[in-house]
Amino acid sequence: MAGTFKKFSKEDVSNLSQVKSSVARGIRAAICETYPYLEETDIIETLIPKKESVYTGKCGHVTLCVINNTVLFFQERDGPWLPTLRILHQYPEMMKRLRTDKGAIKFVLSGANIMCPGLTHPDAVIHDEGEVGGAVAIYACDKEHAMAVGVLQMSTADIRGINKGIGVENMHHLNDGLWKMPNLS
Amino acid sequence: MAEVEAAPVPREPVPPRVVEYDPITGVPAEFNEYLPKDCEEYKKWKAAQEAALTGEGVEKLTVKEKPEEEKKLPGGKKSKKSKPQVLVSVAQRQKNKSTTTVAGLELFGVKLSEAGKLFGKKFACGASVVKTASGTEQIEMQGDFLHQIPELLLKNYKNITKEDVFYVDMADGKKKKNFFADDEEEEEDS
């Protein structure tokens, strides 16, 4: 399931349709619950203004939240709503951060999941704690900007303790299909 | 970033950060070198890097090349780009058949349509003029005439000398001159 947006283009998005305001409110609420920072700072109003119509598109098992023809958030099956990296770059404080060592970068940018050793490495930093299913932003040692967003497959405590297996599932990374196509026309 | 709701606690508007993405790759420049090597963006970035590095070196190279070129063209014309040479090559076709391609004749003032006809007549084969991907034209003959062509060229066209005819030999590239009559044929992808 890694590299959800490996091959992704406008044609892959089916039924891009406007949603009812009740559904839009639901999405907004879900996003606010996952990212209280957006609500506290009212950024959510900038991203998803009440007056704007919200569109949804589907791409396989992924639902896209589209406003003004721009993909802002996406959700795989019933997982958490995740922001696109472009949005995350604009508001880096919205998400919990994990920082891998340098060696992991090229794998992450090819769509690989983040394995525990990449996060327990002496150069790696677990900035914020999290539980299974939590949304996290993936950074790299010595780099300023996030390179990926993912979902925790193990709690940060377990990542440290067990140090084996997949720590975070890589849902979206720099230069993947979604990154290259932020706008649908 | 106007606040729409009347909130109990006045919130400070947080402006979005402006992130600079590399003009070539589209990602933050700090990640350029880590992109997968087979992706377009990485290749473009790598090419730009190399161009920047060799920008000065290239000028030195071209200065050296010029005197060499002049030596190789005693009676030939001055070429604009590459040395004028006639290149003869053989490619395999179905069954036991092959095709011989002669390229570069037009640089010697030879009319390709006439030459094509001449070849066809002399060797009793089909000969035609075909265009290559780059736009230049070649003569393609049905059959393998690797060894007969050079002789014919020298005989019929006074301005083509032994020095100017090359043929493709074995592993890659243009090698031997014509006055070695060798029996090596190679496979070339046409």
Side-chain angles (χ1 to χ4, degrees):
Chain A
M1 217 102 53
T4 320
F5 294 103
K6 211 158 201 173
K7 278 174 191 176
F8 179 72
S9 61
K10 287 172 198 173
E11 294 88 55
D12 295 324
V13 182
S14 58
N15 26 336
L16 186 65
S17 53
Q18 189 171 345
V19 297
K20 290 197 297 186
S21 42
S22 55
V23 178
R25 262 179 280 131
I27 296 178
R28 221 160 168 268
I31 291 177
C32 284
E33 210 187 307
T34 319
Y35 308 107
Y37 175 80
L38 294 181
E39 191 170 16
E40 287 158 22
T41 51
D42 217 21
I43 296 173
I44 188 73
E45 185 56 37
T46 319
L47 292 178
I48 311 182
K50 290 206 175 105
K51 299 166 198 171
E52 290 289 333
S53 28
V54 180
Y55 290 79
T56 328
K58 275 228 154 198
C59 179
H61 295 288
V62 176
T63 314
L64 306 173
C65 170
V66 180
I67 292 166
N68 274 332
N69 273 322
T70 316
V71 183
L72 297 184
F73 291 87
F74 64 99
Q75 174 195 50
E76 190 180 30
R77 293 199 176 89
D78 289 316
W81 282 97
L82 298 168
T84 58
L85 275 168
R86 294 186 194 268
I87 299 288
L88 177 60
H89 283 159
Q90 291 182 330
Y91 305 105
E93 301 188 44
M94 66 183 275
M95 281 180 88
K96 296 188 178 176
R97 293 170 298 155
L98 297 181
R99 193 174 295 266
T100 69
D101 64 303
K102 268 191 175 165
I105 303 179
K106 58 174 185 268
F107 297 111
V108 174
L109 294 191
S110 306
N113 291 326
I114 292 95
M115 312 300 273
C116 291
L119 293 165
T120 54
H121 190 278
D123 291 340
V125 185
I126 297 181
H127 293 283
D128 307 293
E129 304 297 321
E131 292 305 311
V132 181
V136 289
I138 308 293
Y139 290 78
C141 159
D142 291 343
K143 303 295 178 199
E144 187 190 346
H145 301 106
M147 61 175 173
V149 294
V151 177
L152 282 166
Q153 299 297 298
M154 298 163 58
S155 69
T156 43
D158 282 343
I159 289 177
R160 282 197 194 89
I162 305 176
N163 201 17
K164 256 193 188 177
I166 301 178
V168 182
E169 191 184 336
N170 183 349
M171 303 298 291
H172 166 47
H173 59 86
L174 285 178
N175 220 31
D176 68 0
L178 179 59
W179 170 266
K180 294 200 220 190
M181 205 217 62
N183 293 310
L184 314 166
S185 49
Chain B
M1 223 114 323
E3 294 165 57
V4 178
E5 302 166 63
V9 182
R11 298 170 212 165
E12 274 194 35
V14 179
R17 284 208 202 164
V18 178
V19 180
E20 264 188 48
Y21 299 129
D22 187 281
I24 300 174
T25 60
V27 299
E30 58 187 359
F31 288 108
N32 279 341
E33 53 182 305
Y34 295 98
L35 290 173
K37 305 217 161 24
D38 55 358
C39 77
E40 278 301 313
E41 288 77 15
Y42 179 80
K43 289 181 194 170
K44 281 186 206 167
W45 174 76
K46 204 66 194 175
Q49 295 274 309
E50 265 146 42
L53 284 174
T54 58
E56 285 184 19
V58 170
E59 284 176 299
K60 291 178 188 171
L61 284 176
T62 45
V63 172
K64 281 184 190 172
E65 267 189 323
K66 277 175 190 173
E68 275 187 37
E69 268 192 270
E70 278 160 22
K71 284 177 190 172
K72 276 195 176 178
L73 307 174
K77 293 183 180 176
K78 285 185 185 174
S79 58
K80 290 171 192 174
K81 285 184 184 175
S82 53
K83 320 161 197 176
Q85 48 185 227
V86 179
L87 186 67
V88 185
S89 50
V90 176
Q92 304 312 107
R93 228 180 58 181
Q94 286 275 41
K95 305 195 177 165
N96 199 18
K97 307 197 182 202
S98 37
T99 62
T100 310
T101 315
V102 186
L105 281 175
E106 66 274 2
L107 296 169
F108 292 91
V110 175
K111 273 198 178 174
L112 287 180
S113 45
E114 283 180 21
K117 264 195 176 171
L118 177 73
F119 291 163
K121 278 213 158 183
K122 279 278 170 179
F123 303 118
C125 70
S128 56
V129 179
V130 292
K131 270 193 183 166
T132 41
S134 47
T136 48
E137 293 180 320
Q138 301 174 334
I139 298 179
E140 207 168 80
M141 302 160 59
Q142 295 169 7
D144 180 9
F145 304 104
L146 191 59
H147 307 290
Q148 295 94 313
I149 291 285
E151 277 185 40
L152 186 73
L153 289 176
L154 297 183
K155 201 176 172 188
N156 280 55
Y157 300 107
K158 303 300 172 186
N159 50 343
I160 301 182
T161 65
K162 288 180 185 173
E163 307 246 331
D164 300 320
V165 184
F166 289 81
Y167 70 94
V168 182
D169 178 19
M170 291 240 305
D172 247 343
K174 313 158 190 181
K175 279 199 170 177
K176 300 182 181 175
K177 294 182 186 174
N178 181 42
F179 44 79
F180 292 118
D182 279 319
D183 281 345
E184 270 155 307
E185 293 178 4
E186 55 346 283
E187 304 252 304
E188 196 192 292
D189 282 347
S190 54

